Amino acid sequence: MNDRASTSVSCVSVRVPSKVNLFLAIRDRRPDGYHELVTVLQTVSIYDTVKARLDSPNAAHPAARRFMELAFTQDGGGQVPADDTNLAVRAARCLMEAIGVGTSDRDGHPDVPMTRLHLSKAIPVAAGMAGGSADAAAALVALNHLWEADLDRDELRALAADLGADVPFCIGGGTALATGIGTATAQVLARGAYAWVVGISDRPLSTAEVYRAHDEVGRRSDIEPDAVLQALRTGDAEALGAALHNDLEVAACHLRPELADDRAALLDAGALGAMVSGSGPTVVGLAESAEHAASIAALVADRFDRVEVALSPAGGPEIVRD
Ligand code: ATP
């Protein structure tokens, strides 16, 4: 990666975007319970930030990093785990293991450097926008830089695949086609910028529950992403709006019938297309421009706990100045 400083750093912040699935088709369920899928993902401009700080006088010396203590804080509220199960922490531990840094029994020893990780959340939680996956990707990118581990994006993606289906995509961001269980990603040609109305609910919807509902009420689909890929190739927002597709929408609306009305309300307000994002309950509407999105947002604001106007594609994890 070329975003490394030439001298040691003691603090780094990484801003990471959320995503929408412009296309999501569920194929077969594998014997291990995972679903094969074909999806086109694009990052959108609602961001979390992961800040990592190395807190030790000896930390700059590589030998001092054979062991590392990790402390984690977050400001995402009660829905976001504050312990080792947080995906940002799991990502940190995964990177430590990959580069041979242990936590060991030397806890509390003054020479063991401490890395403090802080997560600032703006991406809605359990909302179908890959918030946790984005945080895992941001933690990998931040700590790879802070610890001067020097893994390239492909090596980070390989680690990411063990953390969750969307994490490899979140490492690179942009626009990608993902297959398999979602971890095999390839960037696709995408022209143009798109403006979205993002309707957010405070009531989370579990991805696992939506997949279970899909097994009950959904069916295997053969639809291909050609129309979405063609719209992206030509930068045609109207064609993209018409081509948006999400096989999980049936299951999400089965669990939350009001989502179908939310989607209809976005279309009635003038959206070029609308759908449940991923496993929901976020509902997104595609607009002609940011101004158009703002006018749609004003019309549908009452239906949601929070409405945002967001732009896509929104790049990938990015090292930012504090
Ligand atoms: P996806 O779109 O990838 O299916 P999502 O946006 O629906 O994911 P997340 O916001 O990633 O869902 O949260 C899913 C669950 O993961 C939450 O209920 C939460 O308990 C857990 N979780 C772990 N780490 C995080 C994190 N850093 N941010 C949010 N949730 C996290």
Side-chain angles (χ1 to χ4, degrees):
M1 266 183 286
N2 55 9
D3 43 15
R4 275 195 53 184
S6 54
T7 52
S8 303
V9 286
S10 61
C11 187
V12 60
S13 286
V14 170
R15 189 182 77 151
V16 65
S18 50
K19 60 84 182 161
V20 288
N21 300 79
L22 305 174
F23 176 91
L24 176 58
I26 310 288
R27 306 291 197 232
D28 290 318
R29 187 159 171 237
R30 307 191 318 187
D32 62 7
Y34 284 99
H35 293 77
E36 294 272 342
L37 49 86
V38 177
T39 183
V40 180
L41 304 124
Q42 189 162 65
T43 49
V44 288
S45 63
I46 299 175
Y47 302 95
D48 282 353
T49 303
V50 169
K51 186 172 181 174
R53 201 177 82 211
L54 202 48
D55 221 18
S56 163
N58 299 327
H61 193 280
R65 298 195 195 141
R66 265 187 52 224
F67 300 95
M68 182 74 69
E69 285 188 57
L70 203 60
F72 175 69
T73 49
Q74 56 95 14
D75 58 22
Q79 282 177 21
V80 183
D83 57 12
D84 273 11
T85 63
N86 193 291
L87 272 160
V89 182
R90 287 185 49 213
R93 300 233 179 264
C94 178
L95 181 60
M96 285 168 74
E97 201 181 316
I99 62 176
V101 172
T103 32
S104 93
D105 52 3
R106 295 183 53 179
D107 281 3
H109 190 284
D111 288 339
V112 175
M114 161 77 86
T115 293
R116 297 185 188 279
L117 211 54
H118 181 78
L119 168 63
S120 300
K121 282 217 68 92
I123 302 174
V125 180
M129 300 194 79
S133 304
D135 301 340
L140 288 177
V141 170
L143 295 173
N144 186 45
H145 185 77
L146 185 74
W147 294 341
E148 299 174 8
D150 247 348
L151 303 190
D152 64 26
R153 294 258 159 168
D154 284 340
E155 290 170 315
L156 289 180
R157 265 193 206 99
L159 290 183
D162 289 337
L163 295 164
D166 287 333
V167 189
F169 166 71
C170 293
I171 292 285
T175 311
L177 177 70
T179 53
I181 60 165
T183 50
T185 63
Q187 290 288 313
V188 300
L189 178 61
R191 293 194 171 86
Y194 303 94
W196 299 88
V197 183
V198 183
I200 298 162
S201 162
D202 283 345
R203 284 172 58 214
L205 199 48
S206 135
T207 303
E209 206 184 324
V210 174
Y211 271 99
R212 272 196 296 276
H214 171 79
D215 290 338
E216 280 170 35
V217 299
R219 57 189 176 80
R220 183 193 193 281
S221 87
D222 291 320
I223 182 168
E224 298 289 353
D226 302 24
V228 162
L229 295 174
Q230 171 64 14
L232 290 171
R233 256 196 305 274
T234 52
D236 184 337
E238 206 167 319
L240 182 63
L244 296 174
H245 177 84
N246 181 4
D247 272 348
L248 286 180
E249 198 165 56
V250 172
C253 292
H254 175 73
L255 295 169
R256 292 277 172 83
E258 69 271 23
L259 298 182
D261 299 332
D262 294 340
R263 179 179 176 274
L266 282 163
L267 292 172
D268 287 347
L272 301 172
M275 64 176 176
V276 170
S277 174
S279 55
T282 302
V283 181
V284 295
L286 180 61
E288 288 161 14
S289 63
E291 295 71 30
H292 185 217
S295 73
I296 296 173
L299 289 172
V300 300
D302 287 354
R303 301 197 67 89
F304 300 100
D305 293 314
R306 180 175 140 207
V307 178
E308 302 238 357
V309 169
L311 302 177
S312 74
E318 194 185 337
I319 294 177
V320 291
R321 303 242 167 269
D322 287 320

mmCIF file of all heavy atoms in Angstrom, residues 19 79-81 85-87 119 121 124-133 135 166 207 279, ligand 1:
data_model
loop_
_atom_site.group_PDB
_atom_site.id
_atom_site.type_symbol
_atom_site.label_atom_id
_atom_site.label_comp_id
_atom_site.label_asym_id
_atom_site.label_seq_id
_atom_site.Cartn_x
_atom_site.Cartn_y
_atom_site.Cartn_z
ATOM 1 N N LYS A 19 -22.114 0.132 2.661
ATOM 2 C CA LYS A 19 -22.379 -0.357 1.296
ATOM 3 C C LYS A 19 -23.872 -0.525 1.061
ATOM 4 O O LYS A 19 -24.663 -0.668 1.998
ATOM 5 C CB LYS A 19 -21.665 -1.681 1.022
ATOM 6 C CG LYS A 19 -22.048 -2.856 1.935
ATOM 7 C CD LYS A 19 -23.291 -3.631 1.526
ATOM 8 C CE LYS A 19 -23.623 -4.741 2.507
ATOM 9 N NZ LYS A 19 -24.987 -5.249 2.462
ATOM 10 N N GLN A 79 -26.123 -1.445 21.069
ATOM 11 C CA GLN A 79 -26.281 -2.477 20.027
ATOM 12 C C GLN A 79 -24.933 -2.998 19.534
ATOM 13 O O GLN A 79 -24.868 -4.037 18.878
ATOM 14 C CB GLN A 79 -27.022 -1.906 18.828
ATOM 15 C CG GLN A 79 -28.515 -1.782 19.023
ATOM 16 C CD GLN A 79 -29.160 -1.142 17.795
ATOM 17 O OE1 GLN A 79 -28.601 -1.141 16.722
ATOM 18 N NE2 GLN A 79 -30.331 -0.589 17.987
ATOM 19 N N VAL A 80 -23.882 -2.240 19.809
ATOM 20 C CA VAL A 80 -22.558 -2.616 19.298
ATOM 21 C C VAL A 80 -21.759 -3.251 20.428
ATOM 22 O O VAL A 80 -21.582 -2.638 21.476
ATOM 23 C CB VAL A 80 -21.798 -1.366 18.776
ATOM 24 C CG1 VAL A 80 -20.456 -1.769 18.176
ATOM 25 C CG2 VAL A 80 -22.636 -0.626 17.761
ATOM 26 N N PRO A 81 -21.271 -4.497 20.242
ATOM 27 C CA PRO A 81 -20.520 -5.126 21.331
ATOM 28 C C PRO A 81 -19.260 -4.324 21.682
ATOM 29 O O PRO A 81 -18.580 -3.813 20.791
ATOM 30 C CB PRO A 81 -20.161 -6.508 20.787
ATOM 31 C CG PRO A 81 -20.588 -6.555 19.367
ATOM 32 C CD PRO A 81 -21.421 -5.365 19.059
ATOM 33 N N THR A 85 -15.871 -9.574 20.998
ATOM 34 C CA THR A 85 -16.698 -10.050 19.884
ATOM 35 C C THR A 85 -16.925 -8.951 18.844
ATOM 36 O O THR A 85 -17.435 -9.222 17.762
ATOM 37 C CB THR A 85 -18.071 -10.578 20.364
ATOM 38 O OG1 THR A 85 -18.788 -9.489 20.958
ATOM 39 C CG2 THR A 85 -17.922 -11.705 21.357
ATOM 40 N N ASN A 86 -16.543 -7.707 19.180
ATOM 41 C CA ASN A 86 -16.670 -6.658 18.164
ATOM 42 C C ASN A 86 -15.792 -7.005 16.965
ATOM 43 O O ASN A 86 -14.645 -7.424 17.124
ATOM 44 C CB ASN A 86 -16.280 -5.292 18.730
ATOM 45 C CG ASN A 86 -16.714 -4.175 17.789
ATOM 46 O OD1 ASN A 86 -16.172 -4.024 16.698
ATOM 47 N ND2 ASN A 86 -17.715 -3.426 18.210
ATOM 48 N N LEU A 87 -16.358 -6.815 15.789
ATOM 49 C CA LEU A 87 -15.618 -7.215 14.576
ATOM 50 C C LEU A 87 -14.310 -6.451 14.409
ATOM 51 O O LEU A 87 -13.355 -6.976 13.833
ATOM 52 C CB LEU A 87 -16.509 -7.041 13.344
ATOM 53 C CG LEU A 87 -17.363 -8.287 13.044
ATOM 54 C CD1 LEU A 87 -18.546 -7.941 12.164
ATOM 55 C CD2 LEU A 87 -16.497 -9.356 12.371
ATOM 56 N N LEU A 119 -13.643 2.995 18.081
ATOM 57 C CA LEU A 119 -14.570 2.944 16.950
ATOM 58 C C LEU A 119 -15.639 4.018 17.106
ATOM 59 O O LEU A 119 -16.345 4.056 18.110
ATOM 60 C CB LEU A 119 -15.224 1.544 16.915
ATOM 61 C CG LEU A 119 -16.429 1.347 16.001
ATOM 62 C CD1 LEU A 119 -16.065 1.559 14.535
ATOM 63 C CD2 LEU A 119 -17.001 -0.062 16.206
ATOM 64 N N LYS A 121 -19.065 5.227 15.478
ATOM 65 C CA LYS A 121 -20.053 4.665 14.554
ATOM 66 C C LYS A 121 -21.051 5.692 14.044
ATOM 67 O O LYS A 121 -21.621 6.462 14.809
ATOM 68 C CB LYS A 121 -20.847 3.539 15.245
ATOM 69 C CG LYS A 121 -20.060 2.253 15.302
ATOM 70 C CD LYS A 121 -20.887 0.991 15.115
ATOM 71 C CE LYS A 121 -21.474 0.773 13.764
ATOM 72 N NZ LYS A 121 -20.625 -0.023 12.836
ATOM 73 N N PRO A 124 -25.561 2.674 10.464
ATOM 74 C CA PRO A 124 -26.555 2.031 11.317
ATOM 75 C C PRO A 124 -26.220 0.552 11.560
ATOM 76 O O PRO A 124 -25.638 -0.102 10.694
ATOM 77 C CB PRO A 124 -27.866 2.188 10.543
ATOM 78 C CG PRO A 124 -27.499 2.594 9.163
ATOM 79 C CD PRO A 124 -26.145 3.216 9.225
ATOM 80 N N VAL A 125 -26.569 0.064 12.762
ATOM 81 C CA VAL A 125 -26.167 -1.283 13.197
ATOM 82 C C VAL A 125 -27.233 -2.309 12.797
ATOM 83 O O VAL A 125 -28.431 -2.056 12.931
ATOM 84 C CB VAL A 125 -25.965 -1.306 14.729
ATOM 85 C CG1 VAL A 125 -25.539 -2.693 15.206
ATOM 86 C CG2 VAL A 125 -24.921 -0.268 15.133
ATOM 87 N N ALA A 126 -26.753 -3.483 12.348
ATOM 88 C CA ALA A 126 -27.639 -4.579 11.910
ATOM 89 C C ALA A 126 -28.701 -4.025 10.970
ATOM 90 O O ALA A 126 -29.902 -4.242 11.131
ATOM 91 C CB ALA A 126 -28.265 -5.290 13.112
ATOM 92 N N ALA A 127 -28.241 -3.310 9.959
ATOM 93 C CA ALA A 127 -29.136 -2.556 9.086
ATOM 94 C C ALA A 127 -28.988 -2.938 7.623
ATOM 95 O O ALA A 127 -29.604 -2.325 6.753
ATOM 96 C CB ALA A 127 -28.846 -1.062 9.244
ATOM 97 N N GLY A 128 -28.139 -3.924 7.322
ATOM 98 C CA GLY A 128 -27.939 -4.308 5.925
ATOM 99 C C GLY A 128 -26.966 -3.399 5.204
ATOM 100 O O GLY A 128 -26.934 -3.370 3.981
ATOM 101 N N MET A 129 -26.137 -2.667 5.945
ATOM 102 C CA MET A 129 -25.167 -1.754 5.317
ATOM 103 C C MET A 129 -23.724 -2.135 5.636
ATOM 104 O O MET A 129 -22.797 -1.349 5.437
ATOM 105 C CB MET A 129 -25.447 -0.311 5.729
ATOM 106 C CG MET A 129 -26.851 0.135 5.304
ATOM 107 S SD MET A 129 -27.073 1.896 5.398
ATOM 108 C CE MET A 129 -26.261 2.441 3.892
ATOM 109 N N ALA A 130 -23.531 -3.349 6.150
ATOM 110 C CA ALA A 130 -22.194 -3.921 6.395
ATOM 111 C C ALA A 130 -21.362 -3.124 7.390
ATOM 112 O O ALA A 130 -20.135 -3.043 7.260
ATOM 113 C CB ALA A 130 -21.429 -4.089 5.077
ATOM 114 N N GLY A 131 -22.029 -2.552 8.391
ATOM 115 C CA GLY A 131 -21.312 -1.733 9.369
ATOM 116 C C GLY A 131 -20.191 -2.488 10.065
ATOM 117 O O GLY A 131 -19.047 -2.014 10.126
ATOM 118 N N GLY A 132 -20.502 -3.666 10.591
ATOM 119 C CA GLY A 132 -19.484 -4.443 11.306
ATOM 120 C C GLY A 132 -18.352 -4.849 10.379
ATOM 121 O O GLY A 132 -17.175 -4.805 10.749
ATOM 122 N N SER A 133 -18.701 -5.240 9.167
ATOM 123 C CA SER A 133 -17.682 -5.644 8.183
ATOM 124 C C SER A 133 -16.785 -4.464 7.841
ATOM 125 O O SER A 133 -15.558 -4.607 7.694
ATOM 126 C CB SER A 133 -18.351 -6.150 6.901
ATOM 127 O OG SER A 133 -19.232 -7.205 7.194
ATOM 128 N N ASP A 135 -16.079 -1.987 9.753
ATOM 129 C CA ASP A 135 -15.206 -1.726 10.906
ATOM 130 C C ASP A 135 -14.042 -2.707 10.957
ATOM 131 O O ASP A 135 -12.911 -2.339 11.301
ATOM 132 C CB ASP A 135 -16.005 -1.795 12.212
ATOM 133 C CG ASP A 135 -17.144 -0.789 12.240
ATOM 134 O OD1 ASP A 135 -17.083 0.194 11.464
ATOM 135 O OD2 ASP A 135 -18.101 -0.987 13.012
ATOM 136 N N ASP A 166 -18.729 -9.938 3.914
ATOM 137 C CA ASP A 166 -18.594 -8.621 3.280
ATOM 138 C C ASP A 166 -17.229 -7.967 3.532
ATOM 139 O O ASP A 166 -16.931 -6.925 2.954
ATOM 140 C CB ASP A 166 -19.672 -7.654 3.804
ATOM 141 C CG ASP A 166 -21.054 -7.986 3.251
ATOM 142 O OD1 ASP A 166 -21.134 -8.569 2.150
ATOM 143 O OD2 ASP A 166 -22.049 -7.640 3.919
ATOM 144 N N THR A 207 -29.178 -10.541 10.179
ATOM 145 C CA THR A 207 -28.921 -11.127 8.857
ATOM 146 C C THR A 207 -29.259 -12.618 8.879
ATOM 147 O O THR A 207 -29.891 -13.134 7.940
ATOM 148 C CB THR A 207 -27.431 -10.934 8.479
ATOM 149 O OG1 THR A 207 -27.140 -9.531 8.535
ATOM 150 C CG2 THR A 207 -27.126 -11.444 7.084
ATOM 151 N N SER A 279 -29.796 -7.317 3.854
ATOM 152 C CA SER A 279 -30.779 -8.033 4.669
ATOM 153 C C SER A 279 -31.720 -7.080 5.402
ATOM 154 O O SER A 279 -32.542 -7.518 6.203
ATOM 155 C CB SER A 279 -30.042 -8.935 5.665
ATOM 156 O OG SER A 279 -29.128 -8.166 6.413
HETATM 157 P P1 ATP B 1 -24.462 -6.990 6.672
HETATM 158 O O1 ATP B 1 -24.991 -5.897 5.821
HETATM 159 O O2 ATP B 1 -22.995 -7.302 6.410
HETATM 160 O O3 ATP B 1 -25.334 -8.217 6.735
HETATM 161 P P2 ATP B 1 -25.425 -5.499 8.884
HETATM 162 O O4 ATP B 1 -25.159 -4.100 8.468
HETATM 163 O O5 ATP B 1 -26.827 -5.996 8.703
HETATM 164 O O6 ATP B 1 -24.412 -6.467 8.172
HETATM 165 P P3 ATP B 1 -23.883 -5.047 11.256
HETATM 166 O O7 ATP B 1 -24.100 -3.588 11.487
HETATM 167 O O8 ATP B 1 -22.586 -5.468 10.709
HETATM 168 O O9 ATP B 1 -25.064 -5.666 10.387
HETATM 169 O O10 ATP B 1 -24.180 -5.763 12.655
HETATM 170 C C1 ATP B 1 -24.504 -7.124 12.770
HETATM 171 C C2 ATP B 1 -24.255 -7.580 14.200
HETATM 172 O O11 ATP B 1 -22.854 -7.676 14.383
HETATM 173 C C3 ATP B 1 -24.757 -6.600 15.241
HETATM 174 O O12 ATP B 1 -25.982 -7.026 15.758
HETATM 175 C C4 ATP B 1 -23.691 -6.603 16.324
HETATM 176 O O13 ATP B 1 -24.099 -7.318 17.445
HETATM 177 C C5 ATP B 1 -22.497 -7.324 15.718
HETATM 178 N N1 ATP B 1 -21.286 -6.480 15.612
HETATM 179 C C6 ATP B 1 -20.039 -6.867 15.887
HETATM 180 N N2 ATP B 1 -19.151 -5.885 15.657
HETATM 181 C C7 ATP B 1 -19.845 -4.838 15.215
HETATM 182 C C8 ATP B 1 -19.476 -3.538 14.804
HETATM 183 N N3 ATP B 1 -18.202 -3.127 14.804
HETATM 184 N N4 ATP B 1 -20.458 -2.708 14.382
HETATM 185 C C9 ATP B 1 -21.748 -3.145 14.359
HETATM 186 N N5 ATP B 1 -22.142 -4.353 14.756
HETATM 187 C C10 ATP B 1 -21.206 -5.212 15.181
#
